[in-house]
Amino acid sequence: MQTNLASWARNSEVGQEADEILRRCVHCGFCLATCPTYQILGDELDSPRGRIYLIKQVFEGAVPTASTQEHLDRCLTCRNCETTCPSGVDYGALIDIGRDVVQQQVRRPLGQRIKRYILRRLLNSIWFSFAYKLGRLSRPVLPRALKNKIVAARPVGSTPDPTRHARKVLLMTGCVQPTMMPTVDAATIRVFDALGFSTIAARGAGCCGAINFHLDAQKDALVQMRANIDAWLPLLDSGEVEAVVVNASGCGAMLKDYPRHLQHDPEYVAKAFRLASKVRDVAEIVAPQAAQLKARLSGLPESVAFHPPCTLQHWQGLSSLTEKMLRDLGFRLLPFSDAHLCCGSAGTYSLTQPDLSLSLRDRKVQSIQAVGAGGVVSSNVGCIAHLQSGTRLPVRHWIEVVDEALDTQTGV
Ligand code: SF4
Ligand code: SF4
């Protein structure tokens, strides 16, 4: 489509980047059918095409309003729309740019600013663990949106000596998962040990940057990205570790996106590419060795549904690989309708847009329950906690289930 950028946009890097993306869109509307918010709200401005149009208007000089911001806020950044776009519109990059430009011009109401500030500060701080434990104790009296985030504590178990194997990987521990579901990291360490890898906890900024990035603090997110690069790249460059392994697909997707976010930083862009080339979802490491691992598994659950998080399927393109790996490991996966749609978790979306988030969760749970699944496996802490809040079925990371079925007496 044709654009006629305002002079401020024509002369800025983000304006030129946005223009290139906007010009690819032919306004065909194929993306509408795959957009979860359009499916629920039925408003063109809550569809990818409508949001693209809003962003175009802003770059052409229109003054954004609170309503513009709200339509952009309602986007889950699931990037499902990209999968049906015949023109290859990079919607994910455009919505990031659009949100940042709009938040610089529209002052949010005080309540929203406070909420976003508290979320950013709390989730990125050492106080999160304390607050979460307190949340577990006071769960019955918490507001519904917060209550849904509190998952029951499970025994973590012991982990093997991290120097046992010559082959080593860094395990990205992230900001909220060690508190919410420490079992996922422990299970990863044990499964990787069975495959002949020792795992070293990747200490960096604590967070991949996604929380700040999606809560109006893109500059703070860039600081976290650079800190992670500085902490991890020397270990990768020296060959001390082979890869940065991630068991939360949301964090993995963000790490793989570092080159885009740091493209205008001459000091870090090449480093970001080097780091991103070594980032692996756990499934990417386990998949080639699934047959070897299967021989050591017993007692996998009868039939489960695999919920592929958007950050796994649409951002990283790893849904098929993960499904094949699960089948190779011996899982009997039950297909269910609309598996490509977001569950509504989407990082902090479930706290900033609770109504839309809950409707999407309930649709997802209904689809899964309709096929008679005995449980759900997934690949991201946020989706797991979110789905678990809407069903009695057990919802777990697949690596926890593999870990439980693993015979630790044989093998390496
Ligand atoms: S499918 Fe692609 S080209 Fe068509 S309206 Fe949507 S974003 Fe634009
Ligand atoms: S990213 Fe998801 S919610 Fe946002 S416009 Fe695309 S399909 Fe809709």
Side-chain angles (χ1 to χ4, degrees):
M1 91 181 131
Q2 281 200 331
T3 54
N4 182 17
L5 259 53
S7 59
W8 68 264
R10 260 199 314 275
N11 298 321
S12 70
E13 280 172 333
V14 285
Q16 286 157 18
E17 197 185 334
D19 193 39
E20 212 170 286
I21 302 170
L22 287 166
R23 283 172 176 271
R24 293 188 80 101
C25 177
V26 293
H27 255 231
C28 63
F30 286 173
C31 51
L32 268 64
T34 52
C35 176
T37 55
Y38 182 68
Q39 283 188 8
I40 290 180
L41 300 167
D43 182 343
E44 169 83 16
L45 294 179
D46 287 309
S47 76
R49 186 170 65 180
R51 294 184 179 113
I52 287 170
Y53 195 68
L54 288 173
I55 294 169
K56 175 177 181 283
Q57 285 182 318
V58 172
F59 278 95
E60 289 184 334
V63 178
T65 63
S67 167
T68 316
Q69 189 165 55
E70 191 173 9
H71 291 298
L72 300 190
D73 280 352
R74 286 188 191 141
C75 172
L76 294 139
T77 331
C78 65
R79 291 171 64 178
N80 198 13
C81 45
E82 291 180 19
T83 63
T84 48
C85 175
S87 301
V89 171
D90 190 353
Y91 176 85
L94 185 66
I95 189 77
D96 284 347
I97 295 170
R99 279 178 171 150
D100 194 39
V101 168
V102 168
Q103 70 91 15
Q104 288 171 32
Q105 298 181 52
V106 179
R107 192 166 167 77
R108 291 184 183 277
L110 183 64
Q112 276 192 33
R113 276 184 279 140
I114 292 174
K115 186 176 191 176
R116 283 169 174 254
Y117 180 82
I118 291 175
L119 278 174
R120 290 202 298 109
R121 291 292 170 201
L122 182 63
L123 298 178
N124 277 304
S125 88
I126 52 167
W127 291 103
F128 175 67
S129 171
F130 173 74
Y132 199 81
K133 283 176 189 147
L134 201 63
R136 278 200 173 115
L137 294 174
S138 52
R139 190 174 184 277
V141 296
L142 290 178
R144 184 175 57 168
L146 283 180
K147 192 187 286 188
N148 288 344
K149 294 286 172 202
I150 307 289
V151 287
R154 288 197 294 265
V156 174
S158 60
T159 49
D161 172 6
T163 59
R164 199 161 103 86
H165 300 289
R167 298 188 73 180
K168 293 186 173 52
V169 291
L170 278 181
L171 176 62
M172 202 233 164
T173 50
C175 48
V176 299
Q177 184 172 276
T179 296
M180 289 173 76
M181 288 178 207
T183 45
V184 178
D185 283 345
T188 304
I189 292 168
R190 288 187 288 263
V191 171
F192 271 52
D193 183 70
L195 293 174
F197 291 96
S198 283
T199 45
I200 300 169
R203 306 267 177 236
C207 176
C208 59
I211 289 172
N212 275 325
F213 197 87
H214 294 126
L215 289 171
D216 300 340
Q218 294 194 4
K219 283 200 176 77
D220 290 356
L222 293 177
V223 171
Q224 290 177 309
M225 292 177 202
R226 292 186 192 103
N228 286 334
I229 289 172
D230 288 342
W232 305 340
L233 201 54
L235 297 169
L236 290 161
D237 284 346
S238 69
E240 198 174 322
V241 296
E242 295 180 24
V244 178
V245 170
V246 193
N247 55 24
S249 62
C251 309
M254 191 65 175
L255 294 181
K256 288 180 179 180
D257 247 4
Y258 276 14
R260 174 164 71 85
H261 297 309
L262 291 163
Q263 65 182 307
H264 302 303
D265 183 336
E267 194 189 335
Y268 275 86
V269 62
K271 295 179 187 179
F273 271 107
R274 284 215 308 284
L275 178 77
S277 72
K278 298 281 185 177
V279 174
R280 300 282 182 275
D281 185 82
V282 273
E284 292 179 270
I285 306 280
V286 174
Q289 304 192 59
Q292 177 194 340
L293 199 56
K294 184 185 180 184
R296 298 180 57 187
L297 302 181
S298 59
L300 283 175
E302 271 296 291
S303 55
V304 294
F306 169 57
H307 164 61
C310 303
T311 43
L312 189 82
Q313 59 174 332
H314 307 313
W315 289 56
Q316 299 190 64
L318 293 176
S319 185
S320 306
L321 175 139
T322 309
E323 271 189 40
K324 181 176 181 310
M325 174 207 68
L326 291 172
R327 290 203 165 91
D328 289 348
L329 287 170
F331 282 85
R332 190 163 81 82
L333 299 183
L334 293 180
F336 57 95
S337 61
D338 293 334
H340 60 289
L341 288 183
C342 182
C343 68
S345 172
T348 51
Y349 189 94
S350 50
L351 296 168
T352 55
Q353 300 287 335
D355 295 338
L356 275 170
S357 168
L358 288 178
S359 342
L360 287 165
R361 182 200 67 181
D362 293 345
R363 284 178 177 212
K364 182 69 69 182
V365 166
Q366 275 168 19
S367 301
I368 289 172
Q369 291 182 163
V371 297
V376 185
V377 291
S378 192
S379 309
N380 190 54
V381 55
C383 308
I384 294 169
H386 187 59
L387 288 174
Q388 189 64 86
S389 70
T391 178
R392 289 180 189 278
L393 294 175
V395 187
R396 310 187 66 189
H397 196 294
W398 60 263
I399 208 153
E400 293 179 278
V401 182
V402 170
D403 173 50
E404 267 182 15
L406 185 65
D407 174 3
T408 52
Q409 302 306 310
T410 58
V412 196

PDB file of all heavy atoms in Angstrom, residues 1 24-32 48-49 52 81 84-89 91, ligand 1:
ATOM      1  N   MET A   1       0.841  -1.188   0.000  1.00  0.00           N
ATOM      2  CA  MET A   1       0.000   0.000   0.000  1.00  0.00           C
ATOM      3  C   MET A   1       0.878   1.239   0.000  1.00  0.00           C
ATOM      4  O   MET A   1       2.025   1.191   0.443  1.00  0.00           O
ATOM      5  CB  MET A   1      -0.926  -0.073   1.212  1.00  0.00           C
ATOM      6  CG  MET A   1      -0.492   0.549   2.494  1.00  0.00           C
ATOM      7  SD  MET A   1      -1.753   0.306   3.749  1.00  0.00           S
ATOM      8  CE  MET A   1      -0.762  -0.303   5.087  1.00  0.00           C
ATOM      9  N   ARG A  24       4.476  -3.266   2.251  1.00  0.00           N
ATOM     10  CA  ARG A  24       4.253  -4.664   1.819  1.00  0.00           C
ATOM     11  C   ARG A  24       2.791  -5.072   1.942  1.00  0.00           C
ATOM     12  O   ARG A  24       2.329  -5.982   1.281  1.00  0.00           O
ATOM     13  CB  ARG A  24       5.093  -5.620   2.678  1.00  0.00           C
ATOM     14  CG  ARG A  24       6.579  -5.495   2.485  1.00  0.00           C
ATOM     15  CD  ARG A  24       7.288  -6.613   3.221  1.00  0.00           C
ATOM     16  NE  ARG A  24       7.228  -7.841   2.440  1.00  0.00           N
ATOM     17  CZ  ARG A  24       8.227  -8.307   1.693  1.00  0.00           C
ATOM     18  NH1 ARG A  24       9.355  -7.651   1.654  1.00  0.00           N
ATOM     19  NH2 ARG A  24       8.107  -9.420   1.019  1.00  0.00           N
ATOM     20  N   CYS A  25       2.062  -4.420   2.861  1.00  0.00           N
ATOM     21  CA  CYS A  25       0.675  -4.820   3.112  1.00  0.00           C
ATOM     22  C   CYS A  25      -0.207  -4.384   1.937  1.00  0.00           C
ATOM     23  O   CYS A  25      -0.208  -3.227   1.545  1.00  0.00           O
ATOM     24  CB  CYS A  25       0.182  -4.187   4.413  1.00  0.00           C
ATOM     25  SG  CYS A  25      -1.544  -4.561   4.738  1.00  0.00           S
ATOM     26  N   VAL A  26      -0.949  -5.364   1.387  1.00  0.00           N
ATOM     27  CA  VAL A  26      -1.830  -5.042   0.250  1.00  0.00           C
ATOM     28  C   VAL A  26      -3.295  -4.944   0.696  1.00  0.00           C
ATOM     29  O   VAL A  26      -4.200  -4.928  -0.128  1.00  0.00           O
ATOM     30  CB  VAL A  26      -1.674  -6.083  -0.886  1.00  0.00           C
ATOM     31  CG1 VAL A  26      -0.285  -5.986  -1.500  1.00  0.00           C
ATOM     32  CG2 VAL A  26      -1.949  -7.501  -0.390  1.00  0.00           C
ATOM     33  N   HIS A  27      -3.504  -4.971   2.011  1.00  0.00           N
ATOM     34  CA  HIS A  27      -4.847  -4.793   2.577  1.00  0.00           C
ATOM     35  C   HIS A  27      -5.829  -5.876   2.156  1.00  0.00           C
ATOM     36  O   HIS A  27      -7.037  -5.643   2.093  1.00  0.00           O
ATOM     37  CB  HIS A  27      -5.391  -3.392   2.214  1.00  0.00           C
ATOM     38  CG  HIS A  27      -5.340  -2.470   3.373  1.00  0.00           C
ATOM     39  ND1 HIS A  27      -6.405  -1.730   3.790  1.00  0.00           N
ATOM     40  CD2 HIS A  27      -4.347  -2.194   4.232  1.00  0.00           C
ATOM     41  CE1 HIS A  27      -6.058  -1.033   4.853  1.00  0.00           C
ATOM     42  NE2 HIS A  27      -4.818  -1.289   5.131  1.00  0.00           N
ATOM     43  N   CYS A  28      -5.310  -7.069   1.877  1.00  0.00           N
ATOM     44  CA  CYS A  28      -6.191  -8.144   1.379  1.00  0.00           C
ATOM     45  C   CYS A  28      -7.112  -8.686   2.477  1.00  0.00           C
ATOM     46  O   CYS A  28      -8.188  -9.194   2.198  1.00  0.00           O
ATOM     47  CB  CYS A  28      -5.342  -9.272   0.806  1.00  0.00           C
ATOM     48  SG  CYS A  28      -4.276 -10.053   2.036  1.00  0.00           S
ATOM     49  N   GLY A  29      -6.651  -8.635   3.732  1.00  0.00           N
ATOM     50  CA  GLY A  29      -7.495  -9.101   4.834  1.00  0.00           C
ATOM     51  C   GLY A  29      -7.431 -10.591   5.109  1.00  0.00           C
ATOM     52  O   GLY A  29      -8.180 -11.095   5.945  1.00  0.00           O
ATOM     53  N   PHE A  30      -6.521 -11.322   4.437  1.00  0.00           N
ATOM     54  CA  PHE A  30      -6.401 -12.759   4.714  1.00  0.00           C
ATOM     55  C   PHE A  30      -6.068 -13.021   6.180  1.00  0.00           C
ATOM     56  O   PHE A  30      -6.386 -14.062   6.725  1.00  0.00           O
ATOM     57  CB  PHE A  30      -5.295 -13.395   3.839  1.00  0.00           C
ATOM     58  CG  PHE A  30      -5.667 -13.574   2.400  1.00  0.00           C
ATOM     59  CD1 PHE A  30      -4.723 -14.006   1.478  1.00  0.00           C
ATOM     60  CD2 PHE A  30      -6.951 -13.321   1.948  1.00  0.00           C
ATOM     61  CE1 PHE A  30      -5.057 -14.168   0.140  1.00  0.00           C
ATOM     62  CE2 PHE A  30      -7.299 -13.468   0.617  1.00  0.00           C
ATOM     63  CZ  PHE A  30      -6.339 -13.895  -0.295  1.00  0.00           C
ATOM     64  N   CYS A  31      -5.391 -12.053   6.803  1.00  0.00           N
ATOM     65  CA  CYS A  31      -4.930 -12.242   8.181  1.00  0.00           C
ATOM     66  C   CYS A  31      -6.068 -12.159   9.207  1.00  0.00           C
ATOM     67  O   CYS A  31      -5.918 -12.628  10.336  1.00  0.00           O
ATOM     68  CB  CYS A  31      -3.879 -11.191   8.511  1.00  0.00           C
ATOM     69  SG  CYS A  31      -4.420  -9.514   8.115  1.00  0.00           S
ATOM     70  N   LEU A  32      -7.198 -11.596   8.817  1.00  0.00           N
ATOM     71  CA  LEU A  32      -8.266 -11.369   9.803  1.00  0.00           C
ATOM     72  C   LEU A  32      -8.767 -12.673  10.436  1.00  0.00           C
ATOM     73  O   LEU A  32      -9.006 -12.749  11.637  1.00  0.00           O
ATOM     74  CB  LEU A  32      -9.441 -10.622   9.164  1.00  0.00           C
ATOM     75  CG  LEU A  32      -9.393  -9.099   9.271  1.00  0.00           C
ATOM     76  CD1 LEU A  32      -8.210  -8.517   8.512  1.00  0.00           C
ATOM     77  CD2 LEU A  32     -10.689  -8.472   8.786  1.00  0.00           C
ATOM     78  N   PRO A  48      -5.312  -7.472  12.611  1.00  0.00           N
ATOM     79  CA  PRO A  48      -3.990  -7.031  12.139  1.00  0.00           C
ATOM     80  C   PRO A  48      -4.096  -5.914  11.115  1.00  0.00           C
ATOM     81  O   PRO A  48      -3.366  -4.915  11.204  1.00  0.00           O
ATOM     82  CB  PRO A  48      -3.392  -8.296  11.503  1.00  0.00           C
ATOM     83  CG  PRO A  48      -4.363  -9.403  11.716  1.00  0.00           C
ATOM     84  CD  PRO A  48      -5.565  -8.894  12.426  1.00  0.00           C
ATOM     85  N   ARG A  49      -5.023  -6.062  10.152  1.00  0.00           N
ATOM     86  CA  ARG A  49      -5.146  -5.036   9.106  1.00  0.00           C
ATOM     87  C   ARG A  49      -5.533  -3.690   9.710  1.00  0.00           C
ATOM     88  O   ARG A  49      -5.009  -2.642   9.327  1.00  0.00           O
ATOM     89  CB  ARG A  49      -6.189  -5.482   8.078  1.00  0.00           C
ATOM     90  CG  ARG A  49      -6.287  -4.560   6.894  1.00  0.00           C
ATOM     91  CD  ARG A  49      -7.138  -5.130   5.795  1.00  0.00           C
ATOM     92  NE  ARG A  49      -8.536  -5.282   6.195  1.00  0.00           N
ATOM     93  CZ  ARG A  49      -9.487  -5.757   5.402  1.00  0.00           C
ATOM     94  NH1 ARG A  49      -9.183  -6.154   4.183  1.00  0.00           N
ATOM     95  NH2 ARG A  49     -10.734  -5.877   5.833  1.00  0.00           N
ATOM     96  N   ILE A  52      -2.535  -2.236  11.534  1.00  0.00           N
ATOM     97  CA  ILE A  52      -1.554  -1.740  10.546  1.00  0.00           C
ATOM     98  C   ILE A  52      -2.002  -0.361  10.054  1.00  0.00           C
ATOM     99  O   ILE A  52      -1.202   0.564   9.937  1.00  0.00           O
ATOM    100  CB  ILE A  52      -1.423  -2.753   9.378  1.00  0.00           C
ATOM    101  CG1 ILE A  52      -0.661  -3.997   9.846  1.00  0.00           C
ATOM    102  CG2 ILE A  52      -0.731  -2.121   8.164  1.00  0.00           C
ATOM    103  CD1 ILE A  52      -0.683  -5.163   8.864  1.00  0.00           C
ATOM    104  N   CYS A  81      -1.104 -13.904  12.670  1.00  0.00           N
ATOM    105  CA  CYS A  81      -1.467 -13.249  11.403  1.00  0.00           C
ATOM    106  C   CYS A  81      -0.371 -13.393  10.356  1.00  0.00           C
ATOM    107  O   CYS A  81      -0.659 -13.455   9.158  1.00  0.00           O
ATOM    108  CB  CYS A  81      -1.780 -11.769  11.653  1.00  0.00           C
ATOM    109  SG  CYS A  81      -0.613 -10.918  12.718  1.00  0.00           S
ATOM    110  N   THR A  84      -0.577 -16.325   7.723  1.00  0.00           N
ATOM    111  CA  THR A  84      -1.508 -16.357   6.588  1.00  0.00           C
ATOM    112  C   THR A  84      -1.316 -15.169   5.647  1.00  0.00           C
ATOM    113  O   THR A  84      -2.090 -15.008   4.707  1.00  0.00           O
ATOM    114  CB  THR A  84      -2.973 -16.332   7.082  1.00  0.00           C
ATOM    115  OG1 THR A  84      -3.108 -15.305   8.051  1.00  0.00           O
ATOM    116  CG2 THR A  84      -3.393 -17.665   7.646  1.00  0.00           C
ATOM    117  N   CYS A  85      -0.317 -14.370   5.910  1.00  0.00           N
ATOM    118  CA  CYS A  85      -0.130 -13.166   5.081  1.00  0.00           C
ATOM    119  C   CYS A  85       0.609 -13.524   3.789  1.00  0.00           C
ATOM    120  O   CYS A  85       1.757 -13.982   3.841  1.00  0.00           O
ATOM    121  CB  CYS A  85       0.663 -12.122   5.871  1.00  0.00           C
ATOM    122  SG  CYS A  85       1.050 -10.687   4.852  1.00  0.00           S
ATOM    123  N   PRO A  86      -0.014 -13.307   2.637  1.00  0.00           N
ATOM    124  CA  PRO A  86       0.653 -13.669   1.374  1.00  0.00           C
ATOM    125  C   PRO A  86       1.785 -12.719   0.996  1.00  0.00           C
ATOM    126  O   PRO A  86       2.594 -13.036   0.133  1.00  0.00           O
ATOM    127  CB  PRO A  86      -0.484 -13.588   0.344  1.00  0.00           C
ATOM    128  CG  PRO A  86      -1.473 -12.631   0.919  1.00  0.00           C
ATOM    129  CD  PRO A  86      -1.362 -12.741   2.406  1.00  0.00           C
ATOM    130  N   SER A  87       1.839 -11.547   1.661  1.00  0.00           N
ATOM    131  CA  SER A  87       2.854 -10.556   1.284  1.00  0.00           C
ATOM    132  C   SER A  87       4.061 -10.561   2.222  1.00  0.00           C
ATOM    133  O   SER A  87       4.965  -9.743   2.057  1.00  0.00           O
ATOM    134  CB  SER A  87       2.245  -9.148   1.297  1.00  0.00           C
ATOM    135  OG  SER A  87       1.168  -9.081   0.417  1.00  0.00           O
ATOM    136  N   GLY A  88       4.046 -11.436   3.211  1.00  0.00           N
ATOM    137  CA  GLY A  88       5.190 -11.500   4.126  1.00  0.00           C
ATOM    138  C   GLY A  88       5.341 -10.248   4.976  1.00  0.00           C
ATOM    139  O   GLY A  88       6.463  -9.811   5.260  1.00  0.00           O
ATOM    140  N   VAL A  89       4.223  -9.666   5.402  1.00  0.00           N
ATOM    141  CA  VAL A  89       4.301  -8.466   6.254  1.00  0.00           C
ATOM    142  C   VAL A  89       4.871  -8.855   7.627  1.00  0.00           C
ATOM    143  O   VAL A  89       4.369  -9.776   8.267  1.00  0.00           O
ATOM    144  CB  VAL A  89       2.899  -7.827   6.426  1.00  0.00           C
ATOM    145  CG1 VAL A  89       2.927  -6.716   7.466  1.00  0.00           C
ATOM    146  CG2 VAL A  89       2.412  -7.277   5.085  1.00  0.00           C
ATOM    147  N   TYR A  91       4.594  -8.243  10.719  1.00  0.00           N
ATOM    148  CA  TYR A  91       3.684  -7.585  11.651  1.00  0.00           C
ATOM    149  C   TYR A  91       4.313  -7.455  13.049  1.00  0.00           C
ATOM    150  O   TYR A  91       4.133  -6.432  13.723  1.00  0.00           O
ATOM    151  CB  TYR A  91       2.358  -8.357  11.740  1.00  0.00           C
ATOM    152  CG  TYR A  91       1.436  -7.769  12.767  1.00  0.00           C
ATOM    153  CD1 TYR A  91       0.593  -6.710  12.446  1.00  0.00           C
ATOM    154  CD2 TYR A  91       1.453  -8.218  14.084  1.00  0.00           C
ATOM    155  CE1 TYR A  91      -0.216  -6.131  13.410  1.00  0.00           C
ATOM    156  CE2 TYR A  91       0.647  -7.654  15.052  1.00  0.00           C
ATOM    157  CZ  TYR A  91      -0.179  -6.610  14.708  1.00  0.00           C
ATOM    158  OH  TYR A  91      -0.974  -6.039  15.658  1.00  0.00           O
TER     159      TYR A  91
HETATM  160  S1  SF4 B   1      -2.744 -10.640   5.102  1.00  0.00           S
HETATM  161 FE1  SF4 B   1      -0.874  -9.415   5.020  1.00  0.00          FE
HETATM  162  S2  SF4 B   1      -1.089  -8.123   3.194  1.00  0.00           S
HETATM  163 FE2  SF4 B   1      -3.148  -8.915   3.689  1.00  0.00          FE
HETATM  164  S3  SF4 B   1      -4.053  -7.322   5.035  1.00  0.00           S
HETATM  165 FE3  SF4 B   1      -3.107  -8.827   6.388  1.00  0.00          FE
HETATM  166  S4  SF4 B   1      -1.037  -8.002   6.753  1.00  0.00           S
HETATM  167 FE4  SF4 B   1      -1.847  -6.912   4.937  1.00  0.00          FE
END
